[in-house]
Amino acid sequence: MKKKIYDIIVVGSGLSSLSFIDSYLKKQKKIDVISFKKTKKSFSQINNKHILEILPPQMIGEEKQVLDYFSINKILIKKKTKFFGSLEFGGLSNYWGLQIDKNIKNDLQDFSKKTQKKILNSFKEIFKKQNLLGKINEKNQNLFERNPFINDEFLNKNKILKSDEPILAFQKKREKQKINLNLINEKKDSLTATNFFKKNLKNKRIIFHNYFVERIVKDKKNIILKCSNGSKNKSFTTKKLVLGCGTLITTKLIMDYLKIKTEIKINHHPRLFSLYFSKKKWTNKMNFQPSHFHLKLRKNPTLFTADFRPGNRLIIDAIIKFKRILSPFKPLLNFLREYFIFSNIFIHPRFSNLYIKKQKNIFIIYSKKKNQKNYFEKFGKIIFNFLKTSKKIFPLYINHFPGYGADFHYFGTFTMGISKKLHVNENCQLNKNKNIYIVDGSVLKFKSNKYPLGAIMANARRIGKEI
Ligand SMILES: Cc1cc2nc3c(=O)[nH]c(=O)nc-3n(C[C@H](O)[C@H](O)[C@H](O)COP(=O)(O)OP(=O)(O)OC[C@H]3O[C@@H](n4cnc5c(N)ncnc54)[C@H](O)[C@@H]3O)c2cc1C
C-alpha cells in the first residue's frame, strides 16, 4: 500500500499550536494534529516524583499527567531541579496564571522591522478577538476594576519602583464600565487551551491523532514522525512539520533529530515566592485571582517583575502539601487567606540555570551549582521595603526559592534570527531544514517580558498566516 504523505502536521495542542492553527485555518481547509489525550494507562515511570513537592496549585490532582509527560518523553529531572509539563490536550496552557505582559516590543528588537510589526499586529488581533482584559493603547482597551491594595498616588511617588498593569487572559465582552473580576466565570472565561479550542476551533476541520511523538527522522524531502500511543506504534510522513509541543519537548525532539550531544541551556525566569501579611482583607470571589498590577525597578526594569494576589484555597492546599506540619492549621489558614498576599518575583533570564543533555537513551535536565540566592533575597527585600512603607502590610514576610525550573516559563533554546547552528530564521524555519517550523517559546527570548505566553501566541499566529 502506498504510504500517505500529509501536507502539514502540527505537534502539540497548547496555546502556541492552537494559535498557529487558528490563523492557518483562515485560508486552508484542514489540518492534522498529533496530540495525546489524558489516559488511565500506566507508563513505565522514570522517577521524577520529587518535582511534585511543589506542584503548582492549579495542577493539584493532575500528578499522573505530569509524571507521564516526562516518562513518555524519556526525560529525567535531576534532584534539586524542578520542571513541569503535562501530557494531555492543552498541556501547561490549561493551568497558566492568565497574566500577559503587554510590553512585548522590547524583546523583539533583534528582528527586522517587518517581523516586529507582524508580531505586534497578531498580538493586537489576539487581544481583540479573545476579548482579553487590560489596555494595550487608547484604542485597544477592555478595563477591569483594580483592587486598591496599593493606590496609584503612592506608586507614582516611589523613586525605586514603578507599576505596570498586566493583561488578564479572561475572555469577557467589551463593556463601557470596568469589568468586575468577581463576575468572571473562571471555568468558561479563562483563556485556557481547552476554552480556546471550544470558542475558536470546534467547528473547523482538525484531525487529531491520539499519539505522542517519539522521534523525528528525515526522509528525502519529507519528515517522518515516529509515534506511539503506549501500545501501538505509528509513523506519519509529512511535507511540513510544525512543532508547538512546548520548549522542552520541541528542544528534545530537535536535539535528537540533529544528533546534538552537547548540553543546551534552557532560558527561564527563576522565581521567588514571597508571602506578606496584609492589614486589610483583599476580598474577592475568585478561586485563583491573578495580579492586578506588577512592580518593576525604575532604573533597571528588566531585572525582575513582582506580582501580587490574595491567598486562596488552592494556594493554601499547595502550602499544606508542601509543609505537612501545617495541616492542623488548615481551617485557620483558610479563614485568614484574604489577609495573605502572595507574590511571585520573576527574575531576568541571565540568572537561568537549567540544562538539557542526552545521556544514553534518555534526556536529563539539571541545574549547576550556583549560589544566586543572595541576589534573589535582595530583590525580595526591595519589594518588602516598598510594601512596608505603604503601611498596608505588617512588617514581616517569608521568602522561598522553590528551585530552578519552578517558574514554568521555559524558552529561548533556538533563538530566532540569531545565526548559530541551532537557530530558526524569522519565518521560524529550522536552520538547513526549512520544512520544520517551530512556533513555541523555544524560538523567543524574554528578557523584559516576564509573562511570555501572549508573545508566544502572537508569533505562532503570525507563522500560521505566512506558511
Ligand atoms: C501554573 C502555571 C502558571 C503559569 N502562568 C503563566 C502566566 O501567568 N503568564 C505566562 O505568560 N505564562 C505562564 N505560564 C507558562 C505558560 O503556561 C506556558 O508558557 C505555555 O503554556 C506554553 O504553551 P505551549 O503551547 O508552548 O506548550 P504547552 O501548553 O505545554 O503544550 C504542549 C503540548 O505538547 C503536547 N506534547 C508534549 N509532549 C508531546 C509529544 N511527545 N508528542 C506530542 N505532543 C506532545 C502536550 O500534550 C501539549 O498539548 C504558567 C505555567 C504554569 C504551569
Side-chain angles (χ1 to χ4, degrees):
M1 204 172 64
K2 220 176 147 200
K3 77 177 165 202
K4 176 166 180 169
I5 299 183
Y6 293 82
D7 285 331
I8 183 164
I9 290 187
V10 177
V11 186
S13 53
L15 282 167
S16 62
S17 295
L18 298 183
S19 302
F20 169 89
I21 295 169
D22 189 37
S23 63
Y24 179 81
L25 289 180
K26 294 272 173 301
K27 280 196 255 155
Q28 307 294 334
K29 290 203 172 70
K30 75 162 211 30
I31 195 154
D32 288 83
V33 180
I34 297 181
S35 172
F36 199 57
K37 286 191 207 146
K38 266 185 196 179
T39 170
K40 289 202 174 121
K41 197 194 303 269
S42 318
F43 293 93
S44 62
Q45 291 290 342
I46 294 184
N47 189 359
N48 283 312
K49 283 201 174 127
H50 71 282
I51 62 168
L52 298 180
E53 279 165 18
I54 56 131
L55 193 73
Q58 298 95 313
M59 294 180 87
I60 290 179
E62 304 296 335
E63 288 81 349
K64 182 179 181 312
Q65 267 52 258
V66 176
L67 294 177
D68 281 354
Y69 172 89
F70 293 107
S71 292
I72 72 106
N73 284 309
K74 298 198 174 59
I75 293 172
L76 173 74
I77 315 289
K78 287 280 191 183
K79 289 266 176 317
K80 292 199 177 150
T81 307
K82 309 282 188 252
F83 214 104
F84 289 89
S86 182
L87 189 70
E88 59 179 300
F89 178 88
L92 287 189
S93 303
N94 282 330
Y95 306 101
W96 66 300
L98 303 162
Q99 298 185 61
I100 290 176
D101 193 324
K102 61 180 182 248
N103 310 301
I104 68 166
K105 214 173 164 183
N106 295 345
D107 289 320
L108 308 179
Q109 306 290 336
D110 290 338
F111 312 144
S112 65
K113 288 272 173 295
K114 207 164 123 198
T115 301
Q116 290 186 31
K117 200 170 159 200
K118 285 180 177 170
I119 299 178
L120 286 169
N121 279 344
S122 293
F123 185 71
K124 275 184 213 151
E125 282 166 16
I126 292 171
F127 180 79
K128 270 194 192 163
K129 185 174 177 197
Q130 308 304 331
N131 279 317
L132 306 184
L133 307 190
K135 179 176 177 179
I136 295 182
N137 52 36
E138 294 309 319
K139 269 204 248 151
N140 292 298
Q141 45 182 306
N142 191 21
L143 300 178
F144 59 93
E145 277 176 30
R146 261 177 52 190
N147 181 289
F149 176 63
I150 302 286
N151 63 40
D152 287 340
E153 215 181 305
F154 182 78
L155 277 169
N156 294 340
K157 267 198 244 154
N158 193 279
K159 291 205 171 81
I160 299 172
L161 292 158
K162 61 174 181 179
S163 84
D164 199 8
E165 261 186 49
I167 291 174
L168 301 187
F170 293 112
Q171 306 176 275
K172 203 81 194 143
K173 280 261 177 301
R174 263 139 231 273
E175 283 172 18
K176 285 208 176 104
Q177 290 164 338
K178 290 185 181 177
I179 288 164
N180 177 349
L181 291 178
N182 285 332
L183 303 179
I184 294 277
N185 179 334
E186 287 172 79
K187 217 167 174 213
K188 285 193 186 150
D189 295 339
S190 307
L191 182 71
T192 58
T194 314
N195 285 342
F196 186 98
F197 178 77
K198 277 190 203 151
K199 291 197 175 164
N200 305 288
L201 300 171
K202 209 166 92 186
N203 301 320
K204 303 276 168 72
R205 262 194 86 198
I206 306 175
I207 298 113
F208 283 103
H209 302 272
N210 191 14
Y211 285 91
F212 48 82
V213 179
E214 292 190 307
R215 284 183 62 217
I216 301 172
V217 284
K218 206 172 191 149
D219 177 27
K220 292 176 196 141
K221 281 188 175 165
N222 299 325
I223 299 286
I224 303 178
L225 296 162
K226 304 256 180 203
C227 298
S228 167
N229 60 9
S231 40
K232 208 170 92 194
N233 296 337
K234 185 168 174 177
S235 289
F236 296 82
T237 303
T238 180
K239 291 181 190 160
K240 281 184 189 159
L241 170 64
V242 178
L243 291 175
C245 23
T247 298
L248 174 60
I249 306 309
T250 295
T251 304
K252 180 217 121 162
L253 289 171
I254 296 295
M255 283 174 83
D256 189 55
Y257 172 73
L258 296 177
K259 302 197 173 31
I260 294 176
K261 298 224 167 67
T262 48
E263 71 181 14
I264 300 263
K265 187 170 186 176
I266 300 174
N267 280 285
H268 64 119
H269 297 131
R271 155 163 74 166
L272 188 69
F273 288 129
S274 301
L275 169 63
Y276 310 102
F277 303 92
S278 174
K279 290 182 182 169
K280 242 179 137 185
K281 255 188 181 184
W282 182 332
T283 310
N284 78 97
K285 290 194 177 143
M286 299 185 83
N287 283 328
F288 200 94
Q289 172 105 190
S291 174
H292 297 192
F293 68 99
H294 292 163
L295 290 182
K296 301 175 184 184
L297 286 171
R298 281 188 192 274
K299 281 205 180 131
N300 191 357
T302 65
L303 194 57
F304 62 78
T305 301
D307 62 26
F308 305 89
R309 66 188 48 71
N312 57 52
R313 288 181 198 277
L314 281 174
I315 295 184
I316 303 292
D317 285 351
I319 294 176
I320 285 173
K321 207 165 165 269
F322 174 60
K323 283 245 180 276
R324 291 256 169 240
I325 195 165
L326 292 173
S327 350
F329 305 104
K330 187 172 169 179
L332 178 68
L333 294 172
N334 268 325
F335 178 71
L336 295 174
R337 66 186 185 280
E338 287 169 323
Y339 289 97
F340 298 149
I341 303 292
F342 283 90
S343 170
N344 292 303
I345 305 179
F346 286 107
I347 298 164
H348 191 283
R350 81 172 141 94
F351 294 92
S352 297
N353 187 9
L354 287 175
Y355 299 84
I356 177 168
K357 192 175 174 180
K358 191 167 186 189
Q359 206 170 66
K360 295 187 184 146
N361 289 329
I362 62 166
F363 280 78
I364 53 165
I365 306 248
Y366 53 97
S367 38
K368 296 183 182 176
K369 245 194 170 157
K370 227 177 188 187
N371 192 358
Q372 306 191 123
K373 283 189 188 164
N374 290 349
Y375 285 106
F376 301 165
E377 273 163 21
K378 198 169 128 196
F379 305 152
K381 203 141 199 179
I382 295 174
I383 298 294
F384 169 68
N385 284 338
F386 166 80
L387 294 178
K388 204 170 66 175
T389 49
S390 77
K391 299 198 172 65
K392 295 286 170 86
I393 59 161
F394 291 104
L396 71 158
Y397 70 111
I398 296 170
N399 269 348
H400 175 66
F401 176 61
Y404 291 104
D407 44 85
F408 329 125
H409 296 175
Y410 316 119
F411 53 89
T413 42
F414 336 88
T415 346
M416 181 157 60
I418 293 169
S419 196
K420 283 193 286 186
K421 187 177 166 210
L422 198 62
H423 81 281
V424 295
N425 64 18
E426 289 196 10
N427 294 328
C428 291
Q429 292 165 291
L430 184 64
N431 185 28
K432 295 190 182 149
N433 290 274
K434 288 205 161 169
N435 53 353
I436 301 184
Y437 293 77
I438 298 177
V439 298
D440 54 34
S442 335
V443 296
L444 296 166
K445 225 171 181 173
F446 297 103
K447 292 180 184 168
S448 169
N449 176 350
K450 307 294 188 305
Y451 303 84
L453 189 50
I456 296 174
M457 289 173 72
N459 185 48
R461 182 173 178 85
R462 169 185 72 104
I463 302 300
K465 289 179 201 165
E466 306 213 327
I467 201 166

